[in-house]
Amino acid sequence: MAGFLYVLAAAFMWGVIGVFTKFVLAEGVSALEIAFWRAIFGWMFFLVHAAVAGQLRAHRSDLPALLGFGVICVTLFYGAYQIAIRDVGMAMAAVLLYTAPAWVALLSKLVLKEEMTVVKAVCVAMTILGVSCISLGPKLMSGSTIDLNIFGLAAGLLSGFTYALYYIFGKKFLYRYPTPTIFVYALPFGALLLLPFIHFVHKSPEAWLLMIGMALVTSYGAFSVYYAGLKRMDATHASVVATFEPMVAAILAYALFGEKFSLLGYAGSSLIIAAVLMVVLSGSRSRKAMQSEA
């Protein structure tokens, strides 16, 4: 139960990323500047944690992997997700983010040489269909010409792809380090690569507080409690619980900002969530079968 509550807390924390972003955007701060400060303030929290816990050291041979993780988790992931929230809304951005399990299935086959099962292939197809329903649903139902925000849609899909790479990097390189150590190296490097694309603006005290709060809750807090949960429960079950994130985001987007999907959009969202559950539950059954054979 403790593990479940930790992971559920992480899902809720990630689910409010869009709320913070919407309010900071309203203060006149650009999406990429928000990503930059979220990374910098998050790094400060992880740096203090790592220093207190004696977890600052990393092997020199692992630095390229840690810095590469910074490019993915900050320069690309943080930036793309903030842009998606700005351009297609908080609810759709959260659902597009959870195309990640489909990307994981494909990348696991290519990079980790894991088997592409029928279930995984079906889930990839369900995810693609779900994204199509979300993107095209309002136009198809109204009979109007298609006028998508292609850039925002692409940013949402990129956020899902780079989110999937968290898993691939972790499986391949980063399992040897505690969470604070990884982010002490990854966050500042990724933030620095965002600098050429940012035009910094004057910010009100409210904007600074919102961005500090965003980093504390959605970066430091969410990753800390998520990995605390993983120590207490199976990773597959943790993945299932984490799918509460887009649901939280969609509910908050509707309640606070009046964002809502078309009927096809809700159907597409359901397809994506169902695909996520199928991937993780099929993985759980496969592991149990292997353990019983052993």
Side-chain angles (χ1 to χ4, degrees):
M1 180 57 68
F4 169 80
L5 292 176
Y6 276 126
V7 177
L8 186 63
F12 273 87
M13 289 180 183
W14 283 323
V16 301
I17 291 174
V19 177
F20 281 105
T21 299
K22 285 278 194 177
F23 284 124
V24 181
L25 285 171
E27 293 284 331
V29 184
S30 70
L32 290 180
E33 187 177 352
I34 294 171
F36 174 83
W37 289 114
R38 180 188 173 199
I40 291 298
F41 289 130
W43 170 69
M44 292 178 181
F45 290 121
F46 277 116
L47 181 63
V48 172
H49 184 150
V52 171
Q55 297 172 340
L56 286 172
R57 295 188 58 137
H59 296 293
R60 183 175 299 178
S61 60
D62 290 328
L63 288 179
L66 289 167
L67 298 181
F69 187 66
V71 176
I72 290 166
C73 81
V74 180
T75 311
L76 295 177
F77 174 56
Y78 275 29
Y81 193 45
Q82 305 300 334
I83 289 171
I85 293 169
R86 180 195 68 190
D87 289 355
V88 299
M90 174 180 164
M92 186 183 291
V95 173
L96 292 174
L97 174 65
Y98 270 79
T99 59
W103 295 116
V104 168
L106 290 171
L107 292 169
S108 295
K109 170 69 175 176
L110 296 173
V111 179
L112 303 177
K113 308 304 180 185
E114 293 181 358
E115 182 184 2
M116 173 60 81
T117 64
V118 174
V119 171
K120 287 181 179 180
V122 169
C123 289
V124 170
M126 288 172 64
T127 302
I128 294 170
L129 180 59
V131 170
S132 300
C133 288
I134 293 168
S135 306
L136 303 178
K139 301 303 178 183
L140 294 176
M141 294 186 72
S142 66
S144 60
T145 58
I146 296 174
D147 183 24
L148 296 176
N149 187 321
I150 299 297
F151 188 69
L153 179 63
L157 291 172
L158 179 61
S159 72
F161 177 75
T162 49
Y163 189 40
L165 289 174
Y166 270 71
Y167 170 85
I168 301 299
F169 261 73
K171 191 92 167 179
K172 196 97 175 155
F173 301 110
L174 306 178
Y175 57 90
R176 294 189 295 272
Y177 294 103
T179 306
T181 308
I182 294 169
F183 286 101
V184 160
Y185 290 90
L187 287 171
F189 183 72
L192 286 175
L193 293 182
L194 283 171
L195 279 176
F197 308 101
I198 299 173
H199 173 67
F200 290 95
V201 298
H202 175 75
K203 287 165 282 294
S204 67
E206 291 79 9
W208 284 116
L209 287 174
L210 284 166
M211 289 190 292
I212 292 171
M214 183 182 193
L216 177 62
V217 174
T218 70
S219 290
Y220 175 75
F223 280 110
S224 296
V225 297
Y226 181 72
Y227 286 109
L230 281 180
K231 293 177 182 177
R232 294 166 172 82
M233 68 185 303
D234 182 82
T236 296
H237 292 99
S239 299
V240 174
V241 177
T243 60
F244 276 92
E245 178 188 347
M247 300 179 192
V248 171
I251 291 169
L252 290 174
Y254 178 77
L256 297 176
F257 308 110
E259 293 183 15
K260 56 185 178 181
F261 296 127
S262 65
L263 184 59
L264 272 177
Y266 285 113
S269 302
S270 300
L271 277 172
I272 291 173
I273 299 301
V276 172
L277 295 176
M278 285 176 64
V279 166
V280 295
L281 291 176
S282 66
S284 178
R285 285 195 294 269
S286 297
R287 278 191 292 275
K288 288 179 180 177
M290 292 175 64
Q291 289 171 357
S292 64
E293 290 175 4

